[in-house]
Amino acid sequence: MTSSQRNTLSLSRPDKKLAALLRLCALVSAAVVLLIMLFLIDESRPLLDHLQLSRFFTDRSWHPVQGLYNLTPMLSATLFSTAGALLLALPLGIASALFSRFYAPPTLAAWYRRLIELLAGIPSVVYGFWGLTTVAPWVARLHPPGVSLLTAILILALMILPTVALTVDAALAALPVSHYRGAAALGLSRWGMISGVALPAARAGIASGSMLAAGRAMGETMAVLMVAGNVVQHPHSLFDSVRTLTANIALEMAYAMGDHRAALFASGLALMLMVLALVGAAELFKWKSAHD
Amino acid sequence: MKKLILVVLTLIMIITAWSYLKIEGIHFDNEADIEKLILTGSSTVAPLAAEIGKRFESLNPNVRVDVQTGGSSRGVNDARAGLADIGMASRALKDSEADLHSYTIALDGISIIVNEANPVTSLTQQQIIDIYTGEITNWKAVGGNDRPITVVNKAEGHSTLELFLHHFGLQNTQVKPHVVIGDNQQGIKTVAGNPDAIGYVSVGSAEYEASHGVSIKLLPLQNIAASVKNLRNRTFPLSRPLNLVTKNEPSGMIKTFIEFARSEQVNDIIAAQYFVPVAP
């Protein structure tokens, strides 16, 4: 006991070296993020210099070749598709983690976890291809054209499901055994223990898992590009075709020049700011729940 | 804490400085022996010219082919001003550019495609315009099933879109699409998966996919079938030549390169990018 106390108060020499190394790595990572921001601003400056910022929100449409730069339909498409995918994937992912952690027999749980890991490893373009050739025609039977916000949400939910399932599973696994022993001593049922002890205690892990999943959904490009339809418009229903910010960049970058190119970098900047806002909101949530 | 902030700031400054410094490439080649060929212009021709250039370099180790994009007009202007050895233009030369020499290396055409299950076998120019501007929204109006039309358009900036709009005299702001696609493959997959869709893609890729069992149908334009054959004999109306442009009668390495780009030695490269070769 005494030795562990000394270790936490003053670091031993190898620990100090390691701490310095880790600090350096952390600094480099932070610098890389800042550099990316600088780069995006620098590349979109040719446009920002002579275009009022409000034009990105008030222009009639997105037709950069004709000098129209409204980004808001793509912001809303990105938000809706991410939120929709999270709404579907969260309950399913949590249920899947609870199953493998508390209900499945150990052998089945191990195999089940491996299966979920496999699902996480499938390249996004495969999901997109499957979505375009299978899911989209199926949605089209309900309401044409088939490639739509709904299709994008379904595919994205499937893609982020393993992220949610695996992080929640890991968060549950990290809980101290004493929690479960205490719950058992109180005579709680299995569900009582899950809902009363395990899930509340793993709240921070579940929250960071959903943030990770939301980040992946927001940044996903290829699959969404193939199934969302890519028409720049505010969706009026789930069956409307939408274009996300990432799809916008991937669709137009190859042939964009001059102001058009700069406008695409500006949309990349908008995406970056959205992700920052998301991370900020998550930090706020964590801080609040820690001070409750 | 102060020390930490200082370290962070220094690090960021160093890395920023790095990224903005342009590190010049070190040349190991003997500059005197290397002949440089500069091509500028059309973004449609550039990927093709770059591939041809690579093969040309491998056959002529003393030549470096440098390809830069910037649009057909830049290609023509740079060739005239002598800024480039060869200009690239994805269109025929205009009357005002008749003083220049142009050499067609490939042909590009666009075909209207619909799903194979669609009973419609031809559309007039006006019908296509009405469908794309949202005047006609049901296949019944043009002799098909009573089904809503799914209009497939190309993303802004693609040369296929420009060619399509120019041929039908449209502005992109007038087009009312239901789906916007990037490359030809995505367009073909979209139309093949939706029996009510109409789209347009490169003739070469559409003909290839249709002949390999993909359920799409190429519609004729002004009664001329959309096919590589009709592109090659220059009767298909929605097409354009991909040209290399020079100021003077080409000679030396420029002449060799243009002859190489027009020879059957590069037909596989041209076909791989879904253009139509001119060499037999």
Side-chain angles (χ1 to χ4, degrees), chain A residues 10 43 60 91 117 144 147 156 170 193 222 227 235-236 252-253 286:
Chain A
S10 67
E43 286 288 337
R60 196 153 41 86
E117 276 162 18
V147 280
L156 276 179
M193 181 181 75
M222 216 41 225
V227 301
H236 296 295
E252 300 187 357
M253 195 44 116
K286 262 195 217 160

Side-chain angles (χ1 to χ4, degrees), chain B residues 4-257:
Chain B
L4 192 80
I5 293 170
L6 213 72
V7 172
V8 176
L9 285 178
T10 326
L11 223 107
I12 292 169
M13 262 150 58
I14 290 171
I15 295 176
T16 315
W18 256 349
S19 74
Y20 282 88
L21 266 178
K22 281 200 174 147
I23 302 160
E24 292 293 324
I26 304 160
H27 298 285
F28 293 105
D29 307 315
N30 189 350
E31 290 287 337
D33 295 345
I34 299 291
E35 196 169 344
K36 228 178 168 189
L37 217 53
I38 298 171
L39 281 75
T40 68
S42 160
S43 57
T44 311
V45 189
L48 181 62
E51 285 301 314
I52 295 175
K54 270 185 216 159
R55 189 170 290 179
F56 191 70
E57 280 175 358
S58 68
L59 296 172
N60 302 275
N62 60 327
V63 181
R64 291 283 169 275
V65 180
D66 182 11
V67 178
Q68 297 163 15
T69 54
S72 295
S73 299
R74 180 183 168 194
V76 171
N77 287 338
D78 283 2
R80 179 177 278 152
L83 291 171
D85 299 311
I86 300 172
M88 298 176 289
S90 54
R91 56 170 171 79
L93 289 182
K94 297 171 185 166
D95 290 341
S96 60
E97 298 157 352
D99 55 315
L100 300 168
H101 302 263
S102 86
Y103 302 89
T104 303
I105 56 169
L107 300 164
D108 182 22
I110 294 170
S111 167
I112 306 282
I113 55 169
V114 295
N115 193 285
E116 211 175 14
N118 195 324
V120 173
T121 52
S122 75
L123 292 167
T124 65
Q125 295 282 106
Q126 193 55 44
Q127 280 171 335
I128 293 169
I129 292 172
D130 288 346
I131 286 172
Y132 268 87
T133 51
E135 302 284 324
I136 296 177
T137 56
N138 196 306
W139 281 111
K140 208 166 76 174
V142 291
N145 302 322
D146 184 10
R147 298 278 302 165
I149 302 177
T150 301
V151 174
V152 182
N153 198 27
K154 275 249 175 187
E156 192 108 329
H158 285 249
S159 48
T160 316
L161 171 74
E162 280 166 39
L163 184 55
F164 175 83
L165 293 175
H166 179 257
H167 178 82
F168 289 103
L170 292 169
Q171 291 281 323
N172 202 19
T173 37
Q174 295 173 273
V175 176
K176 302 277 175 285
H178 299 106
V179 179
V180 176
I181 51 146
D183 57 15
N184 288 319
Q185 276 309 315
Q186 200 189 352
I188 290 167
K189 292 281 177 327
T190 304
V191 175
N194 182 341
D196 304 314
I198 179 168
Y200 56 90
V201 294
S202 157
V203 172
S205 53
E207 198 178 60
Y208 177 85
E209 296 289 341
S211 68
H212 284 72
V214 176
S215 58
I216 56 164
K217 191 159 65 177
L218 289 77
L219 294 188
L221 213 59
Q222 296 163 11
N223 292 323
I224 296 163
S227 67
V228 168
K229 183 173 144 269
N230 283 341
L231 265 184
R232 196 175 273 163
N233 66 27
R234 319 236 177 167
T235 51
F236 189 67
L238 188 36
S239 72
R240 62 175 164 186
L242 304 184
N243 285 331
L244 296 182
V245 179
T246 58
K247 188 183 179 191
N248 304 312
E249 192 75 38
S251 61
M253 197 49 80
I254 298 176
K255 186 170 183 229
T256 320
F257 181 79

Side-chain angles (χ1 to χ4, degrees), chain A residues 95-113:
Chain A
S96 145
L98 291 179
F99 170 74
S100 75
R101 195 51 55 198
F102 297 111
Y103 288 93
T107 344
L108 179 64
W111 280 101
Y112 179 76
R113 225 163 276 149

